[in-house]
Each structure stands twice: as C-alpha cells, then as structure tokens.
Amino acid sequence: MLGRKRARVVEHEDVVDAATEVLQTEGLLAIDSKRLAEALGVPEQQLDVDVDAVAAEAYLRLSIAELAEVKRAILADPSPAEQMRRLLNWLATPPEDSDAIRLEAWALTRRKPGMREAVQQGEAGWHGLVASVIRRGARSGDFPQADAEEIAAHVLSLIDGINAYQLIGYRSDLDRMRLLTRVVQAELGLVWGSELTAALATGS
C-alpha cells in the first residue's frame, strides 16, 4: 500500500547493543522487552527476542571488555610483582557500578541458566588472568612456587566477598583490606599497598 511506513528491521546485534547500553546505565534488572524497544525506537510488539539470552550476552560482552582493559593496564609493567599489585588494586576497589552489576548477575543465575553460564565465563576469565600473573611471578622468582590455580581461586573468592561487603557498607575499608592483604602476603609473599601496611602497623 502506497505511503505505508515499512517496519524497521532490527538485527540481533542492535538488540545486544541496546541491552548493553541499558545494562551500563540502569542495571541488569532494567532489561526487558519494553525497555529494549524504547532504546531501539521500535514498537515493543515488533521485537521477537529472548530477553534473558540478550541480557546474558550483554553482561558477558561487558565482562570481556572490562577484563581486556584491566589486562592491558597491568601488563604495561614487565614485573610480575607490580602486575599483581596493579591487579589487586583494581580488583579490591573496582568501579561501584561494575561491582553492582556483577552482584545483580549473580542473583539472576538462580533462575536463569543463560546468565549462570555468562557469569561463569566471566569469572573464569578473571581466574585465568590472576593465575597467569602468579605463574609468571613464580618463574621469575617474585613469588614462591605454588599452585597458581588454587591461589587465584582463594584470592578471587576473598575479593568477591570484600567487594560485596563494601557495597552494603559492612565493615570498614581497613577491615576489608586487612583480610585481603594478609592472604596476599601469606600466599605470595607480596608486600602490597605501602599506605595500608603502615596503617595496619600503627593500628590506625
């Protein structure tokens, strides 16, 4: 029919782009078909997508990009000990939005298998990065010879815990960092964070 407006074709990549934008600005829980349609500028009934799958894909995309950014930053220094210090500094004090999004994703894994898989892939990426730095440090003599996979899991599980504490305002910054510092020193022999070490020594 002449003059009739043709419906816009929405590609899958467009939908994931829109979901990623909503995720970054409003959080995972804001992603639904109505919000995606608004972001894309199309009627909701025109969208025929698996919203859960799209949300999981957007989360994984963001996780991969974040990991790549951190990897570039820490590998800029050739010293494994300095790489680990930089990595710990980022992991222990990540952007608040990043941490909040991660916890939202974890909560959704209870009922959404696609999100569970995305979260597991993201966590595996972080584990692989931490373990690789530990292995590099063991080869160079910066760290003791030990099970890099197990130490990486230990450090990351503790970091996940203290970051969750930080989000809910539980315990002080010093309390949380004390826990992580003791583990890093015990597992890797790494003196990390001179300001924190001095604060711990003085009990301030």
Side-chain angles (χ1 to χ4, degrees), residues 81 85 142-144 181-192:
R85 289 189 185 95
D142 289 85
F143 305 144
T181 299
R182 285 178 175 170
V183 169
V184 170
Q185 289 177 338
E187 297 279 22
L188 300 175
L190 179 65
V191 177
W192 168 61

Side-chain angles (χ1 to χ4, degrees), residues 14-168:
D14 295 331
V15 179
V16 178
D17 286 345
T20 303
E21 181 180 346
V22 174
L23 167 59
Q24 291 179 292
T25 57
E26 302 170 43
L28 266 172
L29 302 181
I31 299 176
D32 57 25
S33 58
K34 180 179 179 180
R35 186 65 189 86
L36 289 176
E38 289 175 353
L40 290 162
V42 299
E44 183 179 358
Q45 59 268 28
Q46 186 181 325
L47 281 183
D48 181 20
V49 297
D50 182 338
V51 174
D52 290 346
V54 168
E57 189 172 344
Y59 173 78
L60 184 57
R61 175 195 284 187
L62 206 61
S63 297
I64 291 171
E66 184 179 62
L67 180 62
E69 179 184 351
V70 174
K71 186 175 182 178
R72 284 193 298 271
I74 69 166
L75 295 183
D77 193 292
S79 163
E82 184 57 33
Q83 289 172 8
M84 182 58 73
R85 289 189 185 95
R86 291 185 180 193
L87 182 53
L88 288 170
N89 284 337
W90 195 94
L91 287 169
T93 55
E96 186 175 339
D97 288 349
S98 173
D99 232 20
I101 288 171
R102 184 173 290 109
L103 288 182
E104 284 183 352
W106 288 0
L108 291 173
T109 63
R110 293 181 61 199
R111 296 183 177 86
K112 301 183 186 299
M115 185 62 73
R116 183 182 303 119
E117 184 178 345
V119 168
Q120 289 176 351
Q121 288 185 49
E123 292 301 302
W126 285 108
H127 182 273
L129 177 57
V130 175
S132 69
V133 174
I134 294 172
R135 283 193 293 269
R136 199 174 298 122
R139 287 194 298 269
S140 67
D142 289 85
F143 305 144
Q145 296 292 329
D147 187 337
E149 298 293 325
E150 184 173 325
I151 293 175
H154 190 180
V155 170
L156 284 170
S157 63
L158 181 55
I159 285 171
D160 287 338
I162 66 171
N163 285 345
Y165 278 1
Q166 184 174 23
L167 272 178
I168 64 173

